[in-house]
Short mmCIF file of all heavy atoms in Angstrom, two decimals:
data_model
loop_
_atom_site.label_atom_id
_atom_site.label_comp_id
_atom_site.label_asym_id
_atom_site.label_seq_id
_atom_site.Cartn_x
_atom_site.Cartn_y
_atom_site.Cartn_z
N THR J 3 -21.46 -5.63 10.23
CA THR J 3 -22.77 -5.95 9.69
C THR J 3 -22.80 -7.40 9.25
O THR J 3 -21.90 -7.86 8.56
CB THR J 3 -23.09 -5.05 8.47
OG1 THR J 3 -22.93 -3.68 8.86
CG2 THR J 3 -24.50 -5.28 8.00
N LEU J 4 -23.83 -8.14 9.64
CA LEU J 4 -23.94 -9.54 9.23
C LEU J 4 -24.47 -9.63 7.82
O LEU J 4 -25.43 -8.97 7.45
CB LEU J 4 -24.89 -10.29 10.19
CG LEU J 4 -24.49 -10.30 11.67
CD1 LEU J 4 -25.54 -11.07 12.46
CD2 LEU J 4 -23.13 -10.91 11.86
N SER J 5 -23.84 -10.50 6.99
CA SER J 5 -24.32 -10.68 5.63
C SER J 5 -24.88 -12.07 5.41
O SER J 5 -25.78 -12.28 4.62
CB SER J 5 -23.19 -10.42 4.62
OG SER J 5 -22.11 -11.30 4.85
N THR J 6 -24.32 -13.07 6.12
CA THR J 6 -24.86 -14.42 6.05
C THR J 6 -24.91 -14.95 7.48
O THR J 6 -24.45 -14.31 8.41
CB THR J 6 -23.96 -15.34 5.19
OG1 THR J 6 -22.67 -15.41 5.79
CG2 THR J 6 -23.83 -14.82 3.77
N ALA J 7 -25.43 -16.15 7.64
CA ALA J 7 -25.67 -16.67 8.98
C ALA J 7 -24.41 -16.71 9.84
O ALA J 7 -24.46 -16.45 11.04
CB ALA J 7 -26.29 -18.07 8.87
N ASN J 8 -23.27 -17.08 9.24
CA ASN J 8 -22.06 -17.24 10.03
C ASN J 8 -20.98 -16.23 9.67
O ASN J 8 -19.81 -16.44 9.94
CB ASN J 8 -21.51 -18.66 9.83
CG ASN J 8 -22.48 -19.72 10.31
OD1 ASN J 8 -23.00 -19.63 11.41
ND2 ASN J 8 -22.72 -20.73 9.48
N SER J 9 -21.37 -15.12 9.07
CA SER J 9 -20.40 -14.14 8.61
C SER J 9 -20.47 -12.87 9.44
O SER J 9 -21.54 -12.43 9.82
CB SER J 9 -20.63 -13.79 7.14
OG SER J 9 -19.73 -12.78 6.72
N ILE J 10 -19.29 -12.30 9.70
CA ILE J 10 -19.26 -11.01 10.38
C ILE J 10 -18.95 -9.89 9.38
O ILE J 10 -18.79 -8.74 9.77
CB ILE J 10 -18.22 -10.99 11.51
CG1 ILE J 10 -16.80 -11.15 10.95
CG2 ILE J 10 -18.52 -12.05 12.55
CD1 ILE J 10 -15.71 -10.75 11.91
N VAL J 11 -18.83 -10.22 8.11
CA VAL J 11 -18.50 -9.25 7.07
C VAL J 11 -19.66 -9.11 6.10
O VAL J 11 -20.20 -10.11 5.62
CB VAL J 11 -17.23 -9.66 6.30
CG1 VAL J 11 -16.90 -8.64 5.22
CG2 VAL J 11 -16.04 -9.81 7.25
N ASP J 12 -20.02 -7.88 5.81
CA ASP J 12 -21.06 -7.61 4.81
C ASP J 12 -20.36 -7.44 3.46
O ASP J 12 -19.87 -6.37 3.12
CB ASP J 12 -21.82 -6.34 5.19
CG ASP J 12 -22.99 -6.07 4.25
OD1 ASP J 12 -23.08 -6.74 3.19
OD2 ASP J 12 -23.82 -5.21 4.57
N LEU J 13 -20.29 -8.53 2.71
CA LEU J 13 -19.59 -8.50 1.42
C LEU J 13 -20.24 -7.52 0.45
O LEU J 13 -19.58 -7.03 -0.47
CB LEU J 13 -19.56 -9.90 0.81
CG LEU J 13 -18.79 -10.96 1.61
CD1 LEU J 13 -18.87 -12.31 0.91
CD2 LEU J 13 -17.34 -10.56 1.82
N GLY J 14 -21.51 -7.22 0.66
CA GLY J 14 -22.20 -6.27 -0.21
C GLY J 14 -21.66 -4.86 -0.08
O GLY J 14 -21.91 -4.02 -0.94
N ARG J 15 -20.94 -4.58 1.00
CA ARG J 15 -20.38 -3.24 1.21
C ARG J 15 -18.92 -3.14 0.73
O ARG J 15 -18.28 -2.12 0.93
CB ARG J 15 -20.48 -2.86 2.68
CG ARG J 15 -21.92 -2.82 3.20
CD ARG J 15 -21.96 -2.27 4.61
NE ARG J 15 -21.54 -0.87 4.65
CZ ARG J 15 -21.32 -0.19 5.77
NH1 ARG J 15 -21.47 -0.81 6.94
NH2 ARG J 15 -20.94 1.07 5.74
N ILE J 16 -18.43 -4.21 0.13
CA ILE J 16 -17.08 -4.21 -0.44
C ILE J 16 -17.22 -4.18 -1.96
O ILE J 16 -17.90 -5.02 -2.54
CB ILE J 16 -16.31 -5.47 -0.01
CG1 ILE J 16 -16.22 -5.55 1.51
CG2 ILE J 16 -14.92 -5.48 -0.62
CD1 ILE J 16 -15.65 -6.85 2.03
N LYS J 17 -16.57 -3.24 -2.62
CA LYS J 17 -16.80 -3.06 -4.05
C LYS J 17 -15.88 -3.91 -4.93
O LYS J 17 -16.19 -4.15 -6.09
CB LYS J 17 -16.66 -1.58 -4.43
CG LYS J 17 -15.25 -1.02 -4.32
CD LYS J 17 -15.22 0.42 -4.81
CE LYS J 17 -13.80 1.00 -4.79
NZ LYS J 17 -13.77 2.39 -5.32
N GLN J 18 -14.73 -4.37 -4.39
CA GLN J 18 -13.77 -5.09 -5.23
C GLN J 18 -13.91 -6.61 -5.04
O GLN J 18 -13.88 -7.13 -3.93
CB GLN J 18 -12.33 -4.68 -4.89
CG GLN J 18 -12.09 -3.19 -4.92
CD GLN J 18 -12.19 -2.56 -3.54
OE1 GLN J 18 -12.84 -3.09 -2.65
NE2 GLN J 18 -11.55 -1.42 -3.38
N ASP J 19 -14.03 -7.33 -6.16
CA ASP J 19 -14.19 -8.78 -6.11
C ASP J 19 -12.98 -9.46 -5.48
O ASP J 19 -13.14 -10.46 -4.76
CB ASP J 19 -14.41 -9.34 -7.52
CG ASP J 19 -15.77 -8.97 -8.09
OD1 ASP J 19 -16.68 -8.65 -7.29
OD2 ASP J 19 -15.92 -8.97 -9.32
N LYS J 20 -11.78 -8.94 -5.74
CA LYS J 20 -10.59 -9.56 -5.19
C LYS J 20 -10.53 -9.42 -3.67
O LYS J 20 -10.05 -10.31 -2.97
CB LYS J 20 -9.33 -8.97 -5.82
CG LYS J 20 -9.07 -9.44 -7.23
CD LYS J 20 -8.79 -10.94 -7.26
CE LYS J 20 -8.49 -11.43 -8.67
NZ LYS J 20 -8.23 -12.89 -8.70
N VAL J 21 -11.02 -8.31 -3.17
CA VAL J 21 -11.05 -8.12 -1.72
C VAL J 21 -12.08 -9.07 -1.11
O VAL J 21 -11.84 -9.68 -0.05
CB VAL J 21 -11.35 -6.66 -1.34
CG1 VAL J 21 -11.54 -6.51 0.16
CG2 VAL J 21 -10.23 -5.75 -1.83
N LYS J 22 -13.23 -9.21 -1.75
CA LYS J 22 -14.23 -10.16 -1.27
C LYS J 22 -13.65 -11.57 -1.22
O LYS J 22 -13.84 -12.30 -0.23
CB LYS J 22 -15.46 -10.14 -2.19
CG LYS J 22 -16.24 -8.84 -2.17
CD LYS J 22 -17.40 -8.91 -3.15
CE LYS J 22 -18.14 -7.59 -3.25
NZ LYS J 22 -19.25 -7.63 -4.21
N SER J 23 -12.94 -11.96 -2.28
CA SER J 23 -12.34 -13.30 -2.33
C SER J 23 -11.29 -13.46 -1.24
O SER J 23 -11.19 -14.52 -0.61
CB SER J 23 -11.71 -13.55 -3.70
OG SER J 23 -12.68 -13.53 -4.72
N PHE J 24 -10.49 -12.41 -1.01
CA PHE J 24 -9.47 -12.44 0.03
C PHE J 24 -10.12 -12.69 1.39
O PHE J 24 -9.63 -13.51 2.18
CB PHE J 24 -8.72 -11.11 0.03
CG PHE J 24 -7.54 -11.05 0.96
CD1 PHE J 24 -6.26 -11.34 0.51
CD2 PHE J 24 -7.71 -10.70 2.30
CE1 PHE J 24 -5.18 -11.27 1.37
CE2 PHE J 24 -6.64 -10.63 3.16
CZ PHE J 24 -5.36 -10.93 2.70
N VAL J 25 -11.20 -11.99 1.65
CA VAL J 25 -11.90 -12.12 2.93
C VAL J 25 -12.40 -13.55 3.13
O VAL J 25 -12.22 -14.14 4.21
CB VAL J 25 -13.07 -11.12 3.00
CG1 VAL J 25 -14.00 -11.45 4.17
CG2 VAL J 25 -12.55 -9.70 3.13
N THR J 26 -13.03 -14.12 2.13
CA THR J 26 -13.60 -15.46 2.29
C THR J 26 -12.51 -16.54 2.22
O THR J 26 -12.57 -17.53 2.97
CB THR J 26 -14.66 -15.73 1.20
OG1 THR J 26 -14.10 -15.52 -0.11
CG2 THR J 26 -15.84 -14.79 1.39
N ASP J 27 -11.51 -16.38 1.35
CA ASP J 27 -10.45 -17.39 1.21
C ASP J 27 -9.66 -17.56 2.50
O ASP J 27 -9.22 -18.67 2.83
CB ASP J 27 -9.49 -17.02 0.08
CG ASP J 27 -10.12 -17.17 -1.30
OD1 ASP J 27 -11.21 -17.76 -1.39
OD2 ASP J 27 -9.52 -16.68 -2.28
N TYR J 28 -9.45 -16.46 3.23
CA TYR J 28 -8.68 -16.53 4.48
C TYR J 28 -9.56 -16.63 5.72
O TYR J 28 -9.07 -16.53 6.84
CB TYR J 28 -7.76 -15.31 4.58
CG TYR J 28 -6.57 -15.40 3.66
CD1 TYR J 28 -6.60 -14.79 2.40
CD2 TYR J 28 -5.43 -16.11 4.02
CE1 TYR J 28 -5.52 -14.88 1.53
CE2 TYR J 28 -4.34 -16.21 3.16
CZ TYR J 28 -4.39 -15.59 1.91
OH TYR J 28 -3.33 -15.69 1.05
N GLY J 29 -10.86 -16.82 5.51
CA GLY J 29 -11.76 -17.02 6.63
C GLY J 29 -11.97 -15.79 7.50
O GLY J 29 -12.35 -15.90 8.67
N LEU J 30 -11.77 -14.62 6.89
CA LEU J 30 -11.92 -13.39 7.67
C LEU J 30 -13.37 -13.04 7.94
O LEU J 30 -13.67 -12.18 8.77
CB LEU J 30 -11.22 -12.22 6.95
CG LEU J 30 -9.75 -12.45 6.59
CD1 LEU J 30 -9.19 -11.22 5.90
CD2 LEU J 30 -8.94 -12.82 7.82
N ASP J 31 -14.27 -13.70 7.24
CA ASP J 31 -15.69 -13.46 7.43
C ASP J 31 -16.26 -14.29 8.59
O ASP J 31 -17.42 -14.15 8.95
CB ASP J 31 -16.47 -13.77 6.16
CG ASP J 31 -16.22 -15.18 5.64
OD1 ASP J 31 -15.13 -15.75 5.92
OD2 ASP J 31 -17.10 -15.73 4.94
N LYS J 32 -15.41 -15.11 9.19
CA LYS J 32 -15.83 -15.92 10.33
C LYS J 32 -15.48 -15.22 11.64
O LYS J 32 -14.59 -14.37 11.69
CB LYS J 32 -15.16 -17.29 10.29
CG LYS J 32 -15.43 -18.08 9.02
CD LYS J 32 -16.90 -18.38 8.85
CE LYS J 32 -17.17 -19.31 7.68
NZ LYS J 32 -16.98 -18.68 6.38
N GLU J 33 -16.15 -15.57 12.70
CA GLU J 33 -15.88 -14.97 14.01
C GLU J 33 -14.41 -15.18 14.39
O GLU J 33 -13.88 -16.29 14.27
CB GLU J 33 -16.80 -15.57 15.07
CG GLU J 33 -16.69 -14.88 16.42
CD GLU J 33 -17.71 -15.40 17.42
OE1 GLU J 33 -18.51 -16.29 17.06
OE2 GLU J 33 -17.71 -14.91 18.55
N ASN J 34 -13.76 -14.12 14.81
CA ASN J 34 -12.34 -14.12 15.18
C ASN J 34 -11.40 -14.35 13.99
O ASN J 34 -10.20 -14.55 14.18
CB ASN J 34 -12.04 -15.17 16.27
CG ASN J 34 -12.81 -14.92 17.55
OD1 ASN J 34 -12.98 -13.77 17.96
ND2 ASN J 34 -13.29 -15.98 18.18
N GLY J 35 -11.95 -14.30 12.78
CA GLY J 35 -11.13 -14.52 11.60
C GLY J 35 -9.99 -13.51 11.47
O GLY J 35 -8.84 -13.88 11.20
N PHE J 36 -10.31 -12.24 11.67
CA PHE J 36 -9.28 -11.21 11.57
C PHE J 36 -8.23 -11.36 12.67
O PHE J 36 -7.05 -11.09 12.45
CB PHE J 36 -9.91 -9.81 11.65
CG PHE J 36 -10.50 -9.34 10.36
CD1 PHE J 36 -11.86 -9.47 10.13
CD2 PHE J 36 -9.71 -8.75 9.38
CE1 PHE J 36 -12.42 -9.02 8.93
CE2 PHE J 36 -10.25 -8.30 8.19
CZ PHE J 36 -11.62 -8.44 7.97
#
Side-chain angles (χ1 to χ4, degrees):
T3 306
L4 301 180
S5 59
T6 62
N8 297 312
S9 177
I10 65 163
V11 179
D12 185 348
L13 297 178
R15 299 187 65 189
I16 302 172
K17 68 176 183 178
Q18 308 96 336
D19 290 338
K20 285 296 181 180
V21 174
K22 294 178 184 179
S23 297
F24 186 95
V25 167
T26 55
D27 289 348
Y28 286 95
L30 306 181
D31 55 334
K32 302 298 187 289
E33 187 174 359
N34 299 322
F36 279 97

